């Protein structure tokens, strides 16, 4: 959730750090700070508030060729200037920025206080600066001091450390929280997200858990926690700095909604076979025999990734006829799951760094499970941990609320379902039907986007409601859940999603003129049952906004989307709900791209 940026080279570090922190604002934060080292002096500035507030207090002559910066999302201690990073040691020689949670921070704090250390902040992170500061005097290198200090730490961390006695050097380390190195021309960078580096370099290296790196202007070295040197091969990031611009849109969220015709096309590109009507997914690393060997599919993800997994489970069951279900990764990892050899596990994460999902993948691997990943970020931790998978190629998603990554994930699941189906019992005719349907998606999404003004009018009409109910059956239920998620996370309007068949088992008691219902009503075999549900709501004076393939007299308002193949319709039915949530949030004056209390990449528990 928090953001880290580090630089060492011949340029002034402060402007580079500030620009990098601005690139990480989408991750969510409440305070910001930086430290710069020059000629054995260590200078820091930190504030509660935005990066712009930090830039305002950094003086013009804040010189130094190395430094570290941070955006904090509070976990220990309220947002404040004092609790902001970097944190210093007692002698103000060492500065540390930290992402993650130190689980034994209270124990370490008591030990350090017994040795005479005085703490300034309420954070767990300050423990690290004092541990390293008390160790550095006993070592020949900063790297060794960091390594020794981390041996006392229980928890997760991504850290960057500078020492005023070593102005041309930065040490970074990772355990459960991402750190990426950027390789420049006689300068080195590090960050928690490649977004902070992309303006300066596209050559990057990802640290693994338990690794440290020493950065100097002329290069880097990486090591394990027991001082064994490791070999790292840089790779080139496909994304460019322009991908992180808002493209003239008022908000990144609207830009990313509008990009979906192109992002879906990229997810599909080169993956559909017209001869055999199958999906080519070489990244799965499975031959046809292996693809036929699985008797069950289990999908794990968090938030919108979990809801896309529900769509994926439905697609796999319908097309491949394999029992499939989705579960929150945050629950899966804690319930001591039974891991079966004939079950295929699929993990979903836009960033590829979602901590709960990563921990679930690691638990599955430890127990011998076969795990595929669906991620958007090449080289991310989940991509590296999995046995194979599918990259979305959706481009960077900056707004906290996921839209294009959600849609591309659902498309990726359609490709996986098609692949598994065709190596099993899905007929060539059905394979051709699904291939043709997938190819239609980009143009059909464009058609939906032309309805933005109509949807905006509806959003303004319903924005003042105290809450909204979302309902759908079978394929429509995960669409309803994702619609409710979008509305609640960016507009702060309370929203609940239920299977339409469950209304009469309790939730119907909530229906009233004050609580509108968004009903997902596709033209499928359940159309008549869904229309009956609308009648039940209408009979209790509930207002209805219907999203489907036709209008209905029982609905007060309708959004009509183009019809595709029945199995693929959920992908299209989701798009109007994204637009609706966006315009409801704008009407209510919300910070659309950075909703309160949320972050783009959740890298802590």
């Amino acid at each position: 959730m928090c953001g880290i940026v580090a630089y060492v080279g011949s340029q002034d570090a402060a402007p580079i750090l500030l620009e990098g922190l601005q690139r990480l604002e989408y991750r969510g934060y409440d305070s910001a700070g930086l430290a710069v080292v020059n000629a054995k002096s260590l200078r820091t500035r930190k504030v509660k508030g935005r990066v712009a507030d930090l830039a305002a207090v950094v003086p013009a002559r804040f010189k130094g060729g190395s430094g570290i910066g941070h955006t904090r999302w509070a976990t220990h201690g309220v947002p404040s200037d004092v609790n902001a990073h970097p944190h210093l040691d007692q002698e103000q020689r060492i500065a540390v920025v930290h992402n993650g949670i130190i689980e034994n921070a209270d124990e370490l704090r008591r030990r350090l206080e017994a040795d005479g250390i005085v703490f300034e902040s309420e954070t767990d992170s300050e423990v690290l600066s004092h541990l390293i500061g008390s160790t550095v005097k006993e070592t020949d290198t900063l790297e060794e001091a960091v390594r020794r200090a981390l041996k006392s730490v229980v928890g997760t961390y991504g850290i960057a450390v500078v020492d005023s006695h070593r102005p041309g050097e930065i040490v970074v380390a990772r355990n459960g929280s991402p750190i990426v190195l950027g390789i420049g021309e006689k300068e080195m960078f590090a960050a928690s997200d490649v977004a902070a580096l992309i303006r300066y370099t596209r050559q990057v290296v990802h640290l693994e858990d338990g690794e440290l790196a020493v950065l100097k202007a002329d290069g880097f070295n990486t090591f394990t926690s027991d001082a064994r040197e490791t070999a790292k091969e840089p790779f080139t990031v496909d994304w460019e700095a322009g991908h992180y611009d808002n493209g003239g849109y008022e908000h990144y969220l609207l830009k990313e909604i509008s990009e979906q015709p192109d992002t879906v096309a990229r997810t599909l590109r080169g993956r559909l076979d017209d001869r055999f009507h199958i999906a080519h997914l070489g990244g799965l690393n499975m031959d046809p025999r292996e693809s036929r060997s699985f008797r069950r599919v289990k999908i794990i993800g968090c938030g919108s990734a979990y809801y896309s997994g529900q769509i994926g489970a439905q697609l796999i069951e319908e097309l491949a006829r394999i029992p499939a279900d989705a579960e929150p990764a945050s629950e899966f990892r804690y319930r001591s799951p039974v891991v079966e050899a004939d079950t295929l596990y699929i993990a979903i994460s836009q960033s590829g760094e979602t901590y709960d999902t990563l921990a679930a993948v690691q638990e599955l691997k430890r127990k011998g499970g076969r795990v595929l990943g669906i991620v958007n970020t090449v080289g991310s931790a989940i991509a590296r941990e999995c046995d194979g998978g599918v990259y979305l190629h959706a481009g960077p998603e900056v707004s906290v609320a996921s839209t294009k990554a959600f849609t591309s994930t659902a498309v990726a699941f359609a490709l996986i379902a098609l692949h598994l189906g065709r190596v099993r019992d899905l007929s060539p005719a059905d394979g051709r039907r699904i291939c043709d349907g997938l190819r239609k998606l980009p143009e059909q999404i464009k058609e939906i986007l032309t309805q933005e003004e109509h949807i905006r009018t509806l959003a303004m009409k319903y924005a003042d409601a105290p809450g909204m109910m979302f309902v759908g059956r079978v394929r429509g239920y995960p669409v309803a859940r994702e619609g409710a998620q979008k509305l609640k996370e960016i507009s702060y309007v309370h929203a609940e999603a239920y299977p339409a068949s469950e209304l009469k088992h309790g939730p119907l008691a909530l229906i009233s003129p004050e609580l509108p219902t968004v009903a997902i009503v596709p033209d499928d075999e359940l159309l008549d049952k869904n229309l009956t549900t609308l009648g039940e709501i209408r009979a209790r004076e509930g207002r209805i906004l219907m999203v489907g393939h036709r209008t209905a007299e029982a609905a007060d308002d309708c959004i009509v989307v183009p019809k595709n193949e029945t199995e693929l319709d959920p992908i299209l039915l989701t798009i109007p709900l994204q637009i609706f949530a966006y315009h409801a949030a704008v009407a209510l004056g919300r910070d659309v791209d950075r909703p309160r209390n949320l972050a783009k990449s959740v890298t802590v528990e």
Side-chain angles (χ1 to χ4, degrees), residues 546-600:
M546 189 182 95
V547 180
H549 299 119
R550 63 173 75 183
T551 60
E553 290 183 5
D556 296 270
D557 297 287
C558 296
I559 301 172
V560 178
V561 304
K563 184 81 175 73
N564 198 300
E565 299 302 323
T566 298
E567 298 91 338
L568 302 177
D569 281 334
I571 298 169
L572 296 171
L573 291 165
T574 303
I575 308 296
L577 302 181
Q578 298 172 350
I579 302 170
F580 180 86
Y582 168 77
H583 283 293
V586 171
L588 293 168
R590 309 307 190 205
D591 188 347
V592 174
D593 287 326
R594 292 185 287 273
R596 68 189 182 195
N597 304 330
L598 300 178
K600 183 63 181 175

Side-chain angles (χ1 to χ4, degrees), residues 36-64:
V36 167
V37 179
N38 184 22
K40 293 193 176 182
S41 69
L42 176 63
R43 304 175 68 189
T44 64
R45 291 291 188 277
K46 49 187 188 173
V47 298
K48 173 187 174 183
R50 298 296 189 189
V51 174
D53 301 318
L54 174 63
V57 301
V58 173
R61 297 187 62 79
F62 201 74
K63 305 296 184 182

Side-chain angles (χ1 to χ4, degrees), residues 273-330:
D273 183 306
D274 287 324
R275 182 181 178 189
F276 296 106
H277 314 297
I278 193 172
H280 282 308
L281 299 170
L284 299 184
N285 297 329
M286 296 191 304
D287 61 30
R289 174 178 286 185
E290 289 177 292
S291 296
R292 288 194 301 270
S293 68
F294 297 105
R295 297 174 60 85
R296 183 177 299 276
V297 176
K298 167 70 76 171
I299 301 165
I300 55 173
C302 296
S304 290
Y306 163 48
Y307 303 141
S308 69
Q310 288 190 304
I311 293 176
Q314 183 75 30
L315 282 161
I316 289 168
E317 286 206 340
E318 288 190 300
L319 298 180
R321 305 308 298 157
I322 309 172
D325 70 301
E327 181 177 347
S330 51

Side-chain angles (χ1 to χ4, degrees), residues 187-236:
E187 57 187 0
M188 286 292 300
F189 307 82
S192 53
D193 189 313
V194 72
L197 309 178
I198 204 69
R199 179 179 172 184
Y200 302 99
T201 179
R202 293 170 61 190
Q203 291 292 110
V204 302
V205 167
H206 288 267
L207 289 190
E208 304 288 348
D209 282 350
E211 278 189 315
L212 300 86
V214 178
L215 312 184
K216 297 181 180 180
D218 58 357
F220 70 98
N221 297 96
T222 55
F223 307 86
T224 63
S225 57
D226 56 1
R228 288 183 292 108
E229 191 164 356
T230 57
K232 311 293 288 188
E233 286 294 325
F235 72 92
T236 303

